[in-house]
C-alpha cells in the first residue's frame, strides 16, 4: 500500500458552490451546481470521467483546443457506450508540427463546430463527475482559458492526475530512491510508459478519445496496485 503524504486537501465542494452562485452563464451555473464527490468519498464509489484534449501547442494563452475526448468510468467499469468525442475548430492556425502529433488537418476542422457550439454538451458530460487526466497542466488551463475567452468567466474543477500519481508512486518507491542514488535515470511517467509498467496494452497516442480511454485504464491499474477502492478521493485529487 502506498504511504500517504500529509497534504492540504482543497475544499472543492465550497469552491464549486460559490462559483455556482456567481456564474453569469447558465451552462456554467449548471456545471458548478452539480458539484463534485466530497473529499471523503472512496474512489471506488466516485463517478469518474477520463478527459483528454489535443491542442495546437502547449501554451494555453497562445494555442487552441482541436479535439476533446471523454470516457465515463468507475473502478469496475468503463462506459464506452457513453463516450464523447469532438473535433473543434481552433481560433489559432494549425501548424505542421502539431498536425504530426494529433493528425487533425485543415480539412478536418474546416466544417467542425467551434468550442462554444459544443460547450453545453461538454459541461453536461463533465458535471458531477470527477475528471481524470494524464497531466492536468494541459486540460485544466486550456479549458479555463478557452471558456474565459468566450464567456468572460473561466472553469476550474477538481481532477485526478494519473501522471502526478505515477510521479508520487515512483518518488516514494525504495527502488526508485536507490536508482537515483546510483545515478540511474528516473522512470518515465508518460502515458505510454506508465501503462506498460502495469501490463496494459499499447494504444496509438495523440488521439483524444483513445488517450482518454488509456487514462481511465491507467487509473484503474494504479488504484489496484498502489491504493484501494476505499482511498478517499481527497488524498489523490488536485
Amino acid at each position: 500500500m502506498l504511504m500517504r503524504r500529509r497534504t492540504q486537501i482543497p475544499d472543492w465542494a465550497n469552491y464549486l458552490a460559490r462559483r455556482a452562485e456567481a456564474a453569469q452563464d447558465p451552462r456554467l451555473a449548471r456545471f458548478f451546481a452539480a458539484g463534485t464527490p466530497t473529499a471523503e468519498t472512496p474512489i471506488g464509489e466516485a463517478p469518474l470521467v477520463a478527459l483528454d484534449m489535443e491542442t495546437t501547442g502547449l501554451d494555453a494563452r497562445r494555442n487552441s483546443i482541436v479535439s476533446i475526448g471523454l470516457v465515463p468510468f468507475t473502478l469496475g467499469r468503463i462506459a464506452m457506450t457513453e463516450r464523447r468525442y469532438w473535433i473543434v475548430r481552433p481560433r489559432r492556425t494549425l501548424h505542421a508540427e502539431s498536425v504530426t502529433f494529433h493528425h487533425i488537418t485543415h480539412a478536418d476542422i474546416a466544417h467542425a463546430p467551434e468550442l462554444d457550439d459544443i460547450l453545453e454538451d461538454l459541461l453536461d458530460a463533465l458535471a458531477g463527475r470527477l475528471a481524470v487526466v494524464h497531466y492536468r497542466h494541459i486540460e485544466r488551463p486550456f479549458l479555463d482559458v478557452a471558456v474565459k475567452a468566450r464567456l468572460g468567466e473561466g472553469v476550474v474543477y477538481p481532477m485526478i492526475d494519473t501522471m502526478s500519481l505515477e510521479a508520487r508512486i515512483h518518488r516514494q518507491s525504495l527502488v526508485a530512491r536507490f536508482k537515483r542514488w546510483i545515478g540511474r535515470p528516473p522512470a518515465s511517467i508518460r502515458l505510454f510508459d506508465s501503462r506498460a509498467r502495469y501490463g496494459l496494452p499499447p494504444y496509438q497516442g495523440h488521439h483524444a478519445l483513445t488517450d482518454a480511454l488509456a487514462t481511465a485504464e491507467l487509473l484503474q491499474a494504479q488504484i489496484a496496485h498502489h491504493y484501494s477502492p476505499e482511498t478517499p478521493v481527497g488524498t489523490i485529487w488536485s
Side-chain angles (χ1 to χ4, degrees):
M1 184 70 63
L2 186 68
M3 293 179 64
R4 309 291 191 271
R5 294 179 299 171
R6 291 184 178 274
T7 56
Q8 184 175 1
I9 297 175
D11 188 355
W12 282 112
N14 246 342
Y15 170 80
L16 296 178
R18 292 197 307 271
R19 290 297 309 272
E21 291 181 2
Q24 300 298 306
D25 187 279
R27 293 167 293 185
L28 285 179
R30 285 198 306 274
F31 171 76
F32 289 126
T36 189
T38 65
E40 297 77 23
T41 303
I43 184 65
E45 298 176 12
L48 308 169
V49 59
L51 166 67
D52 188 80
M53 296 176 185
E54 294 300 316
T55 64
T56 60
L58 300 178
D59 186 339
R61 301 197 175 275
R62 301 196 319 173
N63 302 116
S64 298
I65 299 167
V66 291
S67 66
I68 304 172
L70 292 178
V71 178
F73 74 107
T74 63
L75 290 189
R77 176 175 174 267
I78 294 178
M80 285 304 290
T81 56
E82 299 174 34
R83 67 190 183 278
R84 303 297 303 271
Y85 176 69
W86 299 273
I87 293 176
V88 293
R89 188 168 65 253
R91 291 184 170 181
R92 308 283 184 173
T93 304
L94 284 180
H95 297 290
E97 185 178 357
S98 69
V99 172
T100 61
F101 281 98
H102 52 60
H103 303 293
I104 295 171
T105 66
H106 290 89
D108 294 322
I109 66 172
H111 302 291
E114 216 272 342
L115 180 62
D116 194 54
D117 297 327
I118 61 100
L119 187 57
E120 184 170 11
D121 287 343
L122 172 62
L123 292 175
D124 286 348
L126 291 170
R129 294 180 179 272
L130 186 52
V132 180
V133 301
H134 194 77
Y135 194 53
R136 66 186 182 278
H137 300 296
I138 292 292
E139 280 77 14
R140 179 177 281 161
F142 265 88
L143 189 56
D144 183 45
V145 169
V147 171
K148 192 175 296 181
R150 289 158 176 81
L151 305 182
E153 47 187 337
V155 54
V156 177
Y157 46 94
M159 290 182 167
I160 294 175
D161 183 349
T162 53
M163 177 181 275
S164 178
L165 291 186
E166 201 67 8
R168 185 190 305 183
I169 289 162
H170 286 281
R171 279 199 304 269
Q172 295 186 0
S173 162
L174 291 176
V175 173
R177 291 176 184 175
F178 177 72
K179 286 182 177 179
R180 285 198 298 272
W181 181 71
I182 63 174
R184 292 275 295 277
S188 168
I189 54 174
R190 298 180 65 171
L191 182 56
F192 179 91
D193 298 316
S194 297
R195 287 175 55 84
R197 278 190 289 274
Y198 298 96
L200 296 170
Y203 294 152
Q204 183 66 43
H206 296 294
H207 184 285
L209 184 59
T210 304
D211 283 352
L213 171 61
T215 299
E217 292 176 344
L218 176 58
L219 181 70
Q220 290 177 328
Q222 288 173 324
I223 299 301
H225 283 78
H226 302 291
Y227 295 89
S228 80
E230 288 72 43
T231 299
V233 297
T235 64
I236 57 174
W237 69 16
S238 300

